[in-house]
Amino acid sequence: MKNIIIVFLLAAAILSGCTSYQQKEDPNEVRQDSGADGVEKEGKKPSAIGNETKNFLLIGVDSRGEEDSRSDAILLASYIPSGESIKLVSLMRDSYVKIPDYEYMYSKLNHAYYIGGKDLLKDTIEQNFGVQIDHTAIIDFKGFTKMLDAIAPDGIEVEVSSAMIDDMGLELDPGKQKLKGSDLLSYVRFRHDGQSDFGRVDRQQEILIELKDEVMNQFSSPAGLARFPEVISQALKYVETDLKIEEAIALGVSFLMDPVTDIETLRVPITDSFENKTYEHAGSVLQLDFEENSEALKQFLKAEKE
């Protein structure tokens, strides 16, 4: 990886068509892989670019440009310019949380975005999990396919199953295949097998790492580095974010000076910290042990703040 904002935008892109971003194996285990509306709130100054931790809220929405949509993917990305890793936390969309000023008080986490947009979702996460969010980014299906085609125009090789081909209507043979934008969207959204959302999340992680490698290749040469500002500008066209282009470039320059080598991931809720419940107004939800999950999240992010 050669800059945080590209990884930041790629993460949002990958999550645009997906219900969640979880751990591949044991959700409690930290993995290390090699791997908006653009208007600031009144009176809030852009956060300075220094050595302090920056927390980004990445929101993938289930639309292709429609006004009404839900946040089917919710990810926190934590980055410190002098650090060696990016920390990614997946917040499950069906988590049963307290939504500020909501008539039923509690509902699914993704419902906060549906009724109040990015600001209400941000407030809900901050109040339920005790984390500070510095910037937000939103991307939908359309942005996903454009981003993927821009970063990996030749496609990405993946393992495609017969069930996936039949379900998504792909004109392919089972086995290793190179998929591009819209087909990659189908690939990461597939969940109609025994793995359900867990398999979907595995594929999200797989594609994120592959795209990270694509970005590395693009910026590994002097010619690639010279294209850096233009790439940032183009990437921002696909994402609705409150991050200014000057801030994005400053973060990228910082990243070039101190490259990150690892991506560490966590899923919330963690294993054995929730129950499956059903409520008339919300449907099937994940009833969280907030004390356990908040502590797990705090400990996971703690190293970045020391």
Side-chain angles (χ1 to χ4, degrees):
M1 292 176 295
K2 288 298 181 181
N3 62 79
I4 181 60
I5 185 57
I6 291 295
V7 176
F8 166 48
L9 298 179
L10 288 178
I14 291 166
L15 293 171
S16 65
C18 312
T19 59
S20 60
Y21 188 95
Q22 306 168 346
Q23 284 287 57
K24 183 175 182 180
E25 296 173 351
D26 182 356
N28 286 318
E29 179 183 356
V30 174
R31 284 182 50 198
Q32 293 190 352
D33 293 320
S34 58
D37 49 23
V39 180
E40 294 183 335
K41 291 183 179 180
E42 185 177 356
K44 182 179 179 181
K45 297 180 180 179
S47 52
I49 303 302
N51 287 328
E52 70 274 20
T53 300
K54 295 295 178 184
N55 292 327
F56 301 91
L57 172 60
L58 314 177
I59 307 167
V61 297
D62 60 351
S63 78
R64 292 178 172 81
E66 302 91 342
E67 285 190 20
D68 295 331
S69 59
R70 293 183 185 273
S71 52
D72 268 0
I74 305 165
L75 180 71
L76 291 176
S78 184
Y79 168 70
I80 183 169
S82 61
E84 295 182 352
S85 68
I86 297 172
K87 296 196 173 187
L88 300 178
V89 181
S90 171
L91 300 174
M92 300 295 292
R93 66 170 188 166
D94 289 340
S95 298
Y96 197 56
V97 297
K98 186 175 183 178
I99 300 177
D101 301 320
Y102 179 53
E103 60 178 321
Y104 294 105
M105 188 175 295
Y106 283 84
S107 190
K108 293 181 180 181
L109 181 60
N110 73 335
H111 193 60
Y113 180 82
Y114 182 75
I115 62 176
K118 66 177 180 61
D119 291 331
L120 184 57
L121 179 59
K122 174 179 176 292
D123 291 344
T124 299
I125 293 170
E126 290 182 331
Q127 292 183 30
N128 281 267
F129 298 102
V131 297
Q132 176 184 325
I133 296 170
D134 300 295
H135 296 288
T136 61
I138 305 169
I139 193 165
D140 62 11
F141 291 171
K142 184 177 180 180
F144 171 85
T145 55
K146 288 185 176 180
M147 178 75 80
L148 267 290
D149 285 336
I151 297 299
D154 295 328
I156 294 175
E157 187 175 68
V158 297
E159 184 73 29
V160 182
S161 68
S162 296
M164 191 180 301
I165 291 171
D166 293 341
D167 185 81
M168 294 298 180
L170 301 176
E171 295 183 0
L172 300 170
D173 294 322
K176 291 284 187 182
Q177 297 283 356
K178 267 202 169 185
L179 301 184
K180 297 183 180 181
S182 60
D183 287 340
L184 277 174
L185 173 63
S186 297
Y187 178 77
V188 298
R189 296 194 71 226
F190 176 75
R191 62 171 179 166
H192 297 145
D193 61 9
Q195 292 183 310
S196 189
D197 280 345
F198 288 91
R200 176 185 289 199
V201 167
D202 289 350
R203 288 184 287 278
Q204 293 169 22
Q205 295 182 351
E206 172 194 2
I207 299 304
L208 176 59
I209 293 169
E210 291 294 330
L211 286 173
K212 179 268 299 181
D213 292 338
E214 291 284 341
V215 173
M216 282 187 67
N217 293 335
Q218 287 192 30
F219 289 97
S220 60
S221 66
L225 292 175
R227 293 176 49 243
F228 174 72
E230 176 60 22
V231 170
I232 292 292
S233 177
Q234 291 298 316
L236 288 173
K237 291 181 179 180
Y238 305 132
V239 178
E240 182 183 342
T241 180
D242 59 4
L243 192 67
K244 296 178 179 296
I245 190 167
E246 313 91 75
E247 294 174 313
I249 292 175
L251 279 169
V253 170
S254 172
F255 199 93
L256 292 172
M257 299 298 293
D258 294 290
V260 165
T261 57
D262 296 313
I263 297 178
E264 301 177 44
T265 63
L266 179 74
R267 186 202 71 186
V268 173
I270 61 175
T271 299
D272 299 326
S273 70
F274 65 94
E275 295 181 75
N276 293 303
K277 296 281 189 177
T278 301
Y279 293 95
E280 185 176 352
H281 72 282
S284 299
V285 303
L286 303 177
Q287 185 94 49
L288 278 62
D289 180 327
F290 277 98
E291 182 176 354
E292 185 175 357
N293 281 285
S294 295
E295 181 61 22
L297 180 56
K298 177 182 177 182
Q299 291 302 317
F300 179 70
L301 298 177
K302 185 177 180 181
E304 294 288 358
K305 297 183 179 181
E306 294 179 342

